[in-house]
Amino acid sequence: MRPSWLSPKVARTEILAGLVVALALIPEAISFSIIAGVDPSIGLFASFTMAVVISVVGGRPAMISAATGAIALVVAPIAREHGLGHLIATVILGGLFQIALGSLGVAKLMRFVPRSVMVGFVNALAILIFLAQVPELIDVPWPVYPLFAAGLVLMVLFPRFTKVVPAPLVSIVALTALTIGAGIAVPTVGDKGALPSSLPVPGLPEVPFTMSTFALLAPYALAFALVGLMESLMTAKLVDDITDTRSNKTREAIGQGIANVITGFFGGMGGCAMIGQTMINVKTAGARTRLSTFLAGAFLMVLCIVFGPLVSRIPMAALVAVMVLVAFGTFDWHSIAPSTLRRLPAGEIIVMVVTVAAVVATDNLAIGVVLGSIVAMIIFARRVAHQVEVTAVTDPDGTQVVYAVTGGLFFASSNDLVHRFDYVNDPDSVVVDLTGARIWDASTVAALDAVTGKYQARGKTVEIVGLDEHSATLHGRLSGELTGGHTG
């Protein structure tokens, strides 16, 4: 089957998208290098190799992977305390962990991330993208502000005339030409750090290959792997929703690992999916294939090595305008509309707020997603726990009572089950009917054993009926084995 990017129209979109993303990657990669405490070239090399490799081995077409702030925060301590060699070794080991986790099916855990967490993730991401631009607008020469405003106006109005060329690219080129031609002195990309003048060279990290080195690096590498995978898989899911297509999350997880291993061998600081640049690629520029991802990495090196002096003169105001517009477009404004908030259950709103607050407070998307998911599970468990009902019907002759239990029985709902029976006043024959219920865990079996034991202690018999196949199997295997009791 002929690849879609061979079509001239698609190829033009992908090429221009890759160029826009490459321009936006340069200052970000340099900034993340500074966060990690390494030379700017380390971040730029990582962005180059991550994008190129993931375009081939990744599972989500059009998604951009490069050096990121989340990864920079994870590797910064190892770089600061032990040097570049140990950082590179951590990246390689982290990549190997990602391959292992991907092979074990960790990507399937994404199904347990609730929609409210996903919405909170997207909104927090938009806030982080915006907040990252604020320092570029503080204590700067006054021409930065009209340039920034002009960039926003250009990107809003230009698509009304034509969408052949991405508006961000037009804005960057126009503002760069204006500042150079008019000699306007404003902060530029070159102020962030020197661009590399040659391609990275592969090599091994300069560390002792011993178990003590492994023990030192393993905790950092595992954190690296988990943060990178979570951010990448959440981004992949977001792009799936935007493009209305499905992607292979397991392949993406393994691909992230492969890309990081190769990045490490080429002296990069590692990375994962970049949500801001992915939004530029997919939403703003309209890219849909692997070509844009590959070209983003390739153009990055070409711009640094061949056009370094010109790229260094791009005003930061132009790139800040692009990222602010991306942040605005990424935020799910519908989620905070009064009409939406009135309809949403309180629990869903709490989960969304917790996710956003955790991400913004820690500057770590992974922490927010984990915390939001935990809160969502707690709220769900509490909600389901209260849906269990126990009703009693006593025979007219008073010789038997039947308790009908309905609802899902698990640790949260079965804990108070033992208190729902009248052990003293019930007749000698007791039937517990679970036709409308299902046993999910050992806690419920233990609770039923406790109920049976209390009746037996008073010389009464208990019969449990109505078990479905799953419940009967679990009850038969565990009953009497958890507390030393016995069910009759």
Side-chain angles (χ1 to χ4, degrees):
M1 184 177 176
R2 187 186 185 204
S4 60
W5 50 265
L6 285 178
S7 159
K9 183 179 179 181
V10 174
R12 183 183 64 236
T13 300
E14 300 294 312
I15 291 169
L16 293 173
L19 181 57
V20 173
V21 172
L23 288 167
L25 275 174
I26 293 173
E28 297 249 326
I30 296 173
S31 297
F32 297 146
S33 300
I34 294 169
I35 292 173
V38 297
D39 188 81
S41 62
I42 305 299
L44 290 165
F45 288 157
S47 296
F48 162 60
T49 54
M50 285 295 298
V52 169
V53 175
I54 206 67
S55 70
V56 178
V57 300
R60 173 65 259 179
M63 191 166 77
I64 304 296
S65 290
T68 63
I71 292 297
L73 290 171
V74 173
V75 299
I78 201 78
R80 182 174 60 250
E81 296 169 17
H82 301 281
L84 181 60
H86 283 76
L87 181 150
I88 300 302
T90 300
V91 172
I92 295 171
L93 183 58
L96 292 174
F97 281 159
Q98 288 180 327
I99 294 172
L101 290 169
S103 301
L104 291 172
V106 71
K108 295 177 182 176
L109 295 176
M110 286 300 298
R111 71 183 67 177
F112 297 108
V113 177
R115 181 188 176 278
S116 52
V117 173
M118 190 68 193
V119 173
F121 167 83
V122 170
N123 290 346
L125 150 71
I127 293 171
L128 286 185
I129 292 174
F130 176 79
L131 291 178
Q133 313 312 311
V134 172
E136 304 296 339
L137 298 173
I138 297 175
D139 294 329
V140 291
W142 70 265
V144 167
Y145 302 109
L147 286 171
F148 169 72
L152 290 176
V153 171
L154 261 174
M155 286 185 289
V156 171
L157 297 181
F158 188 80
R160 298 183 181 182
F161 299 99
T162 179
K163 293 184 179 180
V164 174
V165 181
L169 181 58
V170 174
S171 176
I172 292 169
V173 171
L175 294 184
T176 303
L178 175 62
T179 54
I180 293 175
I184 302 172
V186 291
T188 64
V189 170
D191 296 330
K192 290 289 183 180
L195 303 181
S197 57
S198 62
L199 289 171
V201 178
L204 293 173
E206 296 180 0
V207 296
F209 291 91
T210 62
M211 283 305 297
S212 61
T213 302
F214 176 82
L216 170 67
L217 302 183
Y220 294 98
L222 184 59
F224 174 101
L226 293 174
V227 169
L229 284 182
M230 184 164 299
E231 197 152 335
S232 298
L233 294 174
M234 290 292 287
T235 305
K237 190 173 187 300
L238 177 60
V239 178
D240 287 354
D241 294 341
I242 292 171
T243 61
D244 197 24
T245 58
R246 294 187 65 183
S247 61
N248 188 329
K249 305 299 188 300
T250 297
R251 177 177 171 180
E252 183 61 41
I254 295 172
Q256 287 289 329
I258 294 171
N260 273 306
V261 170
I262 294 174
T263 294
F265 282 123
F266 276 91
M269 58 178 274
C272 62
M274 289 195 80
I275 306 158
Q277 273 62 26
T278 297
M279 291 300 100
I280 293 175
N281 198 44
V282 174
K283 288 191 75 173
T284 308
R288 292 293 183 272
T289 77
R290 299 177 184 275
L291 180 61
S292 57
T293 306
F294 175 85
L295 290 177
F299 283 150
L300 175 64
M301 279 294 100
V302 171
L303 288 169
C304 289
I305 296 170
V306 180
F307 300 102
L310 180 59
V311 170
S312 294
R313 299 182 70 178
I314 294 175
M316 284 301 299
L319 297 175
V320 169
V322 172
M323 297 309 295
V324 166
L325 203 63
V326 167
F328 186 85
T330 301
F331 197 92
D332 186 350
W333 297 100
H334 177 71
S335 67
I336 61 170
S339 57
T340 303
L341 295 176
R342 281 196 297 269
R343 292 185 177 92
L344 276 179
E348 303 259 333
I349 298 173
I350 291 171
V351 170
M352 185 170 66
V353 171
V354 166
T355 303
V356 172
V359 171
V360 174
T362 63
D363 203 28
N364 190 318
L365 291 162
I367 291 176
V369 170
V370 170
L371 191 59
S373 297
I374 291 173
V375 172
M377 290 175 188
I378 292 172
I379 292 174
F380 172 76
R382 285 175 58 86
R383 187 183 302 157
V384 174
H386 294 301
Q387 292 180 350
V388 172
E389 294 183 3
V390 180
T391 55
V393 177
T394 304
D395 283 355
D397 57 8
T399 59
Q400 185 182 68
V401 61
V402 178
Y403 283 92
V405 182
T406 59
L409 297 174
F410 65 111
F411 62 90
S413 60
S414 61
N415 277 339
D416 65 344
L417 188 65
V418 70
H419 305 298
R420 309 285 285 274
F421 298 84
D422 189 353
Y423 303 103
V424 176
N425 299 315
D426 280 344
D428 291 342
S429 178
V430 179
V431 175
V432 180
D433 185 0
L434 299 180
T435 302
R438 188 170 194 184
I439 298 174
W440 286 107
D441 60 6
S443 295
T444 302
V445 177
L448 291 172
D449 281 356
V451 170
T452 303
K454 286 180 178 292
Y455 277 117
Q456 289 178 341
R458 292 170 172 79
K460 302 176 182 182
T461 62
V462 179
E463 182 183 9
I464 298 176
V465 300
L467 294 169
D468 60 26
E469 184 178 353
H470 173 272
S471 300
T473 301
L474 190 62
H475 186 265
R477 186 169 70 245
L478 297 178
S479 181
E481 302 296 328
L482 300 172
T483 60
H486 177 72
T487 48

